[in-house]
Amino acid sequence: MPVLILLGFLVVWIIVSSHKACSKNTHPYSHDELEQMLEQMVGKSEKDCKKILKHYKK
């Protein structure tokens, strides 16, 4: 019975940690990548900016 309780806690911990890793609060881009994206997007239309974002999508 104690093994089942430990496994339950482990499953909950894995779910919470994976949710935190996949949530929108994470920063997928490094500082250098953001600077490059900004340089490419300045003065572009919204359509062109979306294409640039697709190129950098992780």
Side-chain angles (χ1 to χ4, degrees), residues 13-56:
W13 180 73
I14 290 172
I15 291 171
V16 169
S17 65
S18 65
H19 176 69
K20 285 183 180 180
C22 297
S23 68
K24 294 181 180 181
N25 293 333
T26 58
H27 301 288
Y29 303 111
S30 68
H31 180 70
D32 295 332
E33 288 175 327
L34 288 173
E35 289 293 325
Q36 290 174 355
M37 286 172 40
L38 180 63
E39 289 175 4
Q40 291 178 3
M41 289 184 184
V42 170
K44 302 284 174 102
S45 68
E46 186 176 342
K47 186 177 179 180
D48 291 337
C49 289
K50 286 181 182 180
K51 287 180 184 177
I52 293 169
L53 279 176
K54 284 183 183 179
H55 175 71
Y56 282 97

